[in-house]
Amino acid sequence: MPTHYSRIQIALHWAVFLLIAFQFVAHDAMEEAWEVIEKGGTAAPSTMAWAHVGAGMLVLAFAVWRLALRLTRGVPPLPKEEPPMMQMAAHVTHWALYALMILLPIGGGMAWFGGLEFAAEMHGTFAPVLMALFLLHVAGALYHQFVLKTNLMDRMRTPG
């Protein structure tokens, strides 16, 4: 079992981090374009809306790649001193993040390219869940680093 993430795992992690952060910035432009489509109009999506679509495709591709690396290479174990409930919360959060990083772009693509209303609703419903898990993940990493002082974040900075 590795003690650190690989260089590519680290690069993909931070790329997905930035892409997801961007998705929330570009959300309003996509929402405006979708509202035009819902009202029967022809959307002339802004550059920001198309950037949202492209970033979503990258999130999907990178998430699948990250998952493949996770399953083939493995990941560092959680700190031994971490209570079992915190370990379980970390595992549930990570797997939920992976699920949403895959399902949200698929749903968004089905809505955008296929005009499927249910997919748009699913995308809109689960996007805030992704944001909450995203923030929980960041808070957990910071808690480990600065409160528990486990130096957990070093695993995502230094390849091993």
Side-chain angles (χ1 to χ4, degrees):
M1 187 165 287
T3 58
H4 285 72
Y5 291 93
S6 70
R7 188 173 311 281
I8 191 67
Q9 285 173 306
I10 292 169
L12 288 169
H13 173 272
W14 292 112
V16 169
F17 172 85
L18 293 172
L19 286 166
I20 290 174
F22 172 78
Q23 291 300 76
F24 287 95
V25 171
H27 171 267
D28 290 344
M30 180 52 80
E31 180 108 357
E32 289 170 15
W34 183 253
E35 286 176 10
V36 170
I37 291 170
E38 275 188 319
K39 293 176 183 169
T42 303
S46 66
T47 301
M48 204 63 156
W50 279 113
H52 183 88
V53 172
M57 289 181 197
L58 283 174
V59 167
L60 174 60
F62 290 171
V64 169
W65 190 2
R66 287 183 63 194
L67 190 55
L69 287 169
R70 183 181 191 94
L71 296 173
T72 57
R73 182 188 186 275
V75 297
L78 295 171
K80 288 180 174 54
E81 63 273 11
E82 187 170 280
M85 286 300 288
M86 284 182 69
Q87 288 185 9
M88 185 176 73
H91 286 299
V92 169
T93 300
H94 278 107
W95 287 107
L97 280 167
Y98 277 109
L100 290 173
M101 288 186 296
I102 291 168
L103 293 174
L104 277 170
I106 290 171
M110 289 170 61
W112 188 249
F113 295 111
L116 301 175
E117 182 64 35
F118 81 90
E121 289 176 18
M122 181 274 300
H123 188 78
T125 299
F126 286 106
V129 176
L130 175 63
M131 178 53 95
L133 288 172
F134 180 83
L135 294 173
L136 179 64
H137 180 66
V138 170
L142 294 173
Y143 179 76
H144 269 277
Q145 189 69 22
F146 299 111
V147 176
L148 298 179
K149 300 188 186 306
T150 60
N151 204 24
L152 188 76
M153 289 174 61
D154 186 53
R155 302 174 335 158
M156 198 47 80
R157 287 192 302 253
T158 308

